[in-house]
Amino acid sequence: FRRPYQQRPVHQRFPDATWTDEQARTAHLGVYRPEDLGPIWVASGLAKPVADVAVCDGTLAVSYGALRPGDPVASGAWTWRSRGFAVSADLPGPATPVCADANDDGVLDPVLLRRLGG
């Protein structure tokens, strides 16, 4: 989702990042409880907006969209770490995020299908 821009400490740590779209809104991703939509975790602002996401067992498979026209798109995975997500290195190009038990351990892993680019 997008919200009007508000300066946050994370924005100051990355002064060269573009944080807003053409309407001066920042991109966010939130994890909410299904029973009451109460927030579990909400990103304060993302330099790369999430265009598509698959929620797996403690991880997310993500495809990033463009914050502004012409921005590069990429894909990746996020792993939950008690207070937030650890983000994997980006893979260039779009992909379709899904969850699958890739190593047959009974846990759904983040998987990127139809990845284009790189």
Side-chain angles (χ1 to χ4, degrees):
F1 59 92
R2 307 253 174 129
R3 290 183 177 160
Y5 176 77
Q6 292 182 335
Q7 181 83 23
R8 303 283 186 207
V10 69
H11 301 142
Q12 296 170 1
R13 291 180 47 207
F14 301 95
D16 295 334
T18 301
W19 293 102
T20 61
D21 64 14
E22 292 177 321
Q23 283 106 22
R25 299 173 303 172
T26 50
H28 302 265
L29 178 69
V31 178
Y32 297 88
R33 288 187 302 272
E35 62 273 6
D36 63 2
L37 296 180
I40 296 171
W41 176 88
V42 179
S44 62
L46 303 171
K48 298 174 293 199
V50 174
D52 196 5
V53 63
V55 180
C56 310
D57 291 329
T59 59
L60 304 175
V62 298
S63 181
Y64 300 111
L67 191 57
R68 295 182 177 204
D71 284 353
V73 295
S75 306
W78 299 13
T79 303
W80 182 254
R81 300 278 191 244
S82 76
R83 293 186 173 227
F85 286 98
V87 178
S88 71
D90 291 351
L91 297 172
T96 301
V98 298
C99 299
D101 186 359
N103 56 1
D104 203 28
D105 65 356
V107 175
L108 292 177
D109 305 300
V111 176
L112 299 169
L113 299 178
R114 292 185 286 280
R115 194 173 82 74
L116 305 171

